[in-house]
Amino acid sequence: MMTTNNNAETPASEDAAVLSGAAKVETGKSLITLEGLTKVFETEEVETHALSNIHLNIRQGEWVAIVGPSGSGKSTLLAVLGLLDTTTRGTYLLDGKSVLDLSASDRALVRNRHIGFIFQSFNLIGDLTVFENVELPLTYRGMPAAERKQRVEKALDKVGMAHRARHMPGQLSGGQQQRVAVARAVAGDPLILLADEPTGNLDSKNGEAVMQLLSELHKAGATICMVTHDPAHARVATRTVSLFDGRVVQDEQRR
Amino acid sequence: METFLQNVRYALRSLRKSPGFTLMAVLALALGIGANSAVFSVVNGVLLKPPPFTQPERLVHLWGNYAKANIHDIVVSVPEYRDYLTMPRAFSSLAAFEASNVTLTGGDAPERLQLTLSTASLFPTLGVAPVLGRAFSEEEETLGRDKVLVLTHKTWRTRFAQDPGVLGRELRLDGDTYTVVGVLPPGVEYPADTDLYAPFAPTAERAAAVSRGYRFLSVVGRLKPGLTLEAAKADMDRVGREMETLHEEYYKGYGWAISVKSLEDEVVGQVRGTLWLLLGAVGFVLLVACSSVANLLLARATARQREVSIRAALGAGRAQLVGQFLAESLVLSAAGGGLGLLLAKWGTDALVAMVGDGLPRAAAVGLDVSSVLFTVGLSVLTGVGFGLVPALQASRVDLSSTMREGSRGTEGGKAGRLRSGLVVGQVAFALVLLVGAGLFLRSFQALTQVDAGFTPEGVLTGQLALPAVGYAKPEDQRAFQQELLRRVQALPGVESAGVTNMLPLGGKTNISFDVEGRTRAAGEMWPAVESRFASADYLRTLKVRLRDGRMLQETDGPDAAWAVVINQTFADLYWPKGDALGQRVKLHQSDAQWTTVVGIVDDLREWGLDTPARPTAYYSALQVPLTHLYLTVRVKAGEPESLRTAIESEVRALDGNLPLFKVTSMVRLVDESIGSRRLTALLMGLFAGTALLLAALGISGVIGYSVAQRTREMGIRMALGAAKSDVLVLVLRQGVKLAGLGVGLGLVLSLVLARLLSTLLYGVTAYDPWTFVGVAALLSGVALGATWLPAHRATRVDPIIALKAE
């Protein structure tokens, strides 16, 4: 679980490999390594530790559920893992490369190529069709149109939404929207899927369906890191990390 | 490119989903871009497009000046033109011309055409060659061989349907037969409004050395290659001095000098300042429109923060986000530009129609390739200009907000300040335009209140030109004039009628004269006055007030002692003791006699409403008969136009070959004389009104948005006991603060820019305090009104709902 910060020794060519998405991940190898990760919100009078000295290692193929009460730092941790937020101290290695010191545009590049997001509120763009929503990250990647089309169709097929490709998000149910969001997350073949309360906005039936979809993806080899406050959903994951007041208080490996 | 097209596609879809926003933005941009394109089309046609001459920058106009008599820019005589041909060294060629009116007969009805009599050197000097046939030869500058014509392209097109067989065709002009020998290229109509050219063949009398003071020729020259205007001026200064030495009696002691002016300045100099001013003013309108749209986009960007965050979370870089927003602003500006182009087409035609004859090169004005390119360029610039800041602002996202359920866009301090800053800018620009419009309106108002010295209402005017054939002798001219007036005065509905050689507001005719009993000291100038030749009832027809003595009478005929009525300025200048009546003067004209001052009348504005009256004398047209007559007819009641047909038929009955042309009312002539000032005031008013509206919408929008953002705060305040009036004042204060800053900034800008207007104003200073104060008050009032609506809405916030909204 412990790793060393080898940022200074990372060859430039390897950095480039991470950014270009050319890196290949070996099964079971360490994918995410956090060491002493601390996030402090400072105001004039108060200093709040959102994350405090987090040490975490996620291996390829794992499904990690992050649980904890409100304000425990779950979403902040997921935001840091997704390079959506910065840290105050610590080390974050993604596929062995330090990613905390990257510029904004390089962070965008890493998000685009290596991370797939699934949000609680789906976060589909209302003005774009289902197809275009799934296509969006691939467009930012500069992928040729033909390859994009192929990937989007495959991803939509995988989540059973191919027949709704031309629909607008507003024409879909919540469950369908989340399936489209899952398709968008997997279309670019990311290293890891980050899911933030993926069933939080869904009824139980649709919630179960989405969990089923994530299970299938996991069985197919996907690495998933999921924030949830539903113990039943957390139990589906292979490992549960519990946070409290910004600290890891329990790390339970199930199988 | 594919990404750009995709961005455009998304932008179109996104804008379609917000029709209100899109409509507002496109309309604001269409107004801004359309107005700019229309004014640019005029500026381009008049000032920027090169005239159809070879190397036009080398063309100059030569004028005579008697500086000590304050007489400037006078035409030259034949002997003087001959001096110009031999003495200067600065010109590769020179040409002289005289514009005149002729009557074309042989068609359905006689027609007036403008014939320019020019030396054969005119076309080579201008650097133009006929597209059909030939130009004149020097041999044709001889009486008897001079009856050949070169047509302008317009005349060839409109009267001869561009028939190549027009060469060799014979035309009857003023009773003489002319043969068409050539046709000029399109656009060559110099001097303005020329229909035909014929060789200038001076009579022996005009060409005689004693006719040195008989000036009627305009002279243009082409500078030698590489020679500057300054060098030509120096050369002509030398020529002036040599002429003074050779012909002392004509020049010495009068401050004689020859001025050399760029032909371009001569043609467009008078309107250049106004046109650039209007282009600058309309640029301000575009700035206000852009600020408006930028403000709308900023608000929209705030509302779309979540979408931007999602895009960024999915890996969009800042450039990609900016590209997406810029695509939207470019789509908006393209739509605004397209609609603006339609507005510009309509606006350009309307502008030209409104200015009428007051606009030189009006024929060259139109929505051409340059105008379209200007519009396209302006649209792209505008799109990037108003879109970049909101796009940059929008792309600065809080990525972690994507993780927060239901997080809505709220405006950060920077975006808020930016929006407020844009509104302050809008108000400031609107104030600058309002000050400009106010000054021009007051200037125009001052002009309309000028006492012109006559009553134009109820007077119809028209022109007649008597040809040499049939009217060569003074008695023939006199007989025609008397019979014409007898017939017209006998028409039912006519109160009185008169003729003159030039109408008020019409121009200058300086003629020098001697005053009986006075000798000139050495170096003293001959006095010179505006000279008008008028029939007995002319001044009465215009209702000019007699101050002393009597008006001209029918008895002031050829056999009576010559009589003259002078204006008050003339009397005050030469006979300040009030003893003008009975004094005698004699014009420097070959057939003039000593003439007695018989009456003094009020001053008439003979040069224009904005030019103070000059000493003017009204001689009897029976004693100096006219060949070019301006007929004036006062009706007893009703519209003067109602008598037009009756008067025309009387003229036809008198001479079937004489058309009465340029028939119009005196009121219209007065209107036209201030047409360009009216147009400037009108356009500035329109521009300022548009800017005011946009600024008001801007303030209302920003305050409204702020109120929406502060709903919860308002609720808390009201829950804590704030009265509605407290909330009202709170919001109004915000609007007043923005408007106050804008007004302050605008006043400073206006004070700096007003200086540029000073030469274009009349009867009002560029720093007129009433205008500045009035405009500031108006704008503040409008701003307060624009704030009132959102402020009132803020007072209706329900505290409970506001608190629940968390």
Side-chain angles (χ1 to χ4, degrees), chain B residues 577-658:
Chain B
K577 292 177 187 167
D579 55 346
L581 287 181
Q583 304 285 350
R584 296 211 306 166
V585 296
K586 185 180 178 186
L587 281 181
H588 289 167
Q589 259 184 217
S590 56
D591 50 356
Q593 298 180 13
W594 282 105
T595 311
T596 305
V597 177
V598 297
I600 300 169
V601 292
D602 267 352
D603 288 338
L604 269 77
R605 295 280 169 128
E606 294 284 2
W607 279 24
L609 287 179
D610 54 358
T611 310
R614 292 169 52 88
T616 309
Y618 301 90
Y619 296 89
S620 168
L622 289 176
Q623 292 167 339
V624 186
L626 306 173
T627 52
H628 192 119
L629 302 85
Y630 286 81
L631 177 65
T632 54
V633 183
R634 179 170 290 281
V635 295
K636 284 179 180 154
E639 286 301 311
E641 290 280 350
S642 62
L643 279 173
R644 178 183 184 138
T645 312
I647 295 170
E648 281 174 342
S649 62
E650 287 302 330
V651 172
R652 249 193 323 274
L654 197 52
D655 185 335
N657 285 332
L658 275 188

Side-chain angles (χ1 to χ4, degrees), chain B residues 657-677:
Chain B
N657 285 332
L658 275 188
L660 181 69
F661 60 100
K662 293 193 177 171
V663 180
T664 185
S665 71
M666 195 74 215
V667 169
R668 194 181 165 86
L669 286 179
V670 173
D671 275 356
E672 281 177 1
S673 76
I674 51 174
S676 64
R677 284 182 184 273

Side-chain angles (χ1 to χ4, degrees), chain B residues 25-279:
Chain B
V26 169
L27 278 181
L29 290 171
L31 273 177
I33 294 174
N36 271 271
S37 298
V39 176
F40 173 80
S41 295
V42 176
V43 169
N44 182 45
V46 177
L47 301 180
L48 303 181
K49 248 187 227 169
F53 307 138
T54 307
Q55 294 182 301
E57 68 283 358
R58 285 172 55 201
L59 293 173
V60 294
H61 203 131
L62 305 183
W63 296 106
N65 298 276
Y66 285 116
K68 286 189 180 170
N70 201 24
I71 296 174
H72 297 282
D73 297 345
I74 52 176
V75 286
V76 306
S77 63
V78 175
E80 283 173 336
Y81 174 59
R82 287 188 178 147
D83 286 349
Y84 289 4
L85 286 177
T86 55
M87 294 159 74
R89 300 171 193 139
F91 307 102
S92 54
S93 69
L94 280 167
F97 60 87
E98 175 192 18
S100 67
N101 284 300
V102 289
T103 305
L104 171 70
T105 51
D108 296 338
E111 279 184 89
R112 291 306 298 178
L113 296 177
Q114 183 165 315
L115 173 70
T116 293
L117 300 169
S118 74
T119 57
S121 56
L122 180 65
F123 302 132
T125 300
L126 295 176
V128 295
V131 288
L132 197 67
R134 63 174 178 86
F136 311 133
S137 64
E138 280 187 29
E139 291 70 39
E140 285 165 333
E141 292 178 21
T142 314
L143 286 173
R145 300 187 61 181
D146 58 338
K147 299 297 184 259
V148 287
L149 290 174
V150 170
L151 310 182
T152 62
H153 203 273
K154 187 175 80 179
T155 303
W156 185 45
R157 194 178 67 244
T158 56
R159 292 177 193 280
F160 300 98
Q162 291 189 293
D163 175 14
V166 74
L167 296 181
R169 192 176 293 184
E170 292 189 336
L171 301 183
R172 293 282 288 175
L173 299 176
D174 279 355
D176 282 325
T177 302
Y178 287 75
T179 306
V180 176
V181 297
V183 176
L184 289 176
V188 179
E189 285 159 34
Y190 181 79
D193 301 327
T194 297
D195 298 306
L196 314 157
Y197 292 88
F200 171 67
T203 60
E205 183 194 9
R206 282 178 148 196
V210 292
S211 296
R212 179 165 286 274
Y214 182 28
R215 300 183 171 94
F216 56 92
L217 285 174
S218 294
V219 180
V220 288
R222 176 170 288 275
L223 297 178
K224 283 182 178 167
L227 206 78
T228 63
L229 191 63
E230 293 310 312
K233 283 177 180 171
D235 188 41
M236 290 314 284
D237 283 345
R238 175 188 60 76
V239 170
R241 286 193 299 274
E242 282 181 24
M243 289 169 73
E244 195 172 301
T245 309
L246 290 169
H247 308 284
E248 286 192 358
E249 69 276 28
Y250 286 97
Y251 308 114
K252 194 162 179 65
Y254 309 140
W256 170 251
I258 303 158
S259 52
V260 184
K261 294 183 179 176
S262 133
L263 194 68
E264 186 67 5
D265 282 348
E266 289 293 299
V267 176
V268 299
Q270 278 199 323
V271 297
R272 185 181 282 134
T274 305
L275 288 181
W276 284 123
L277 171 89
L278 287 176
L279 194 62

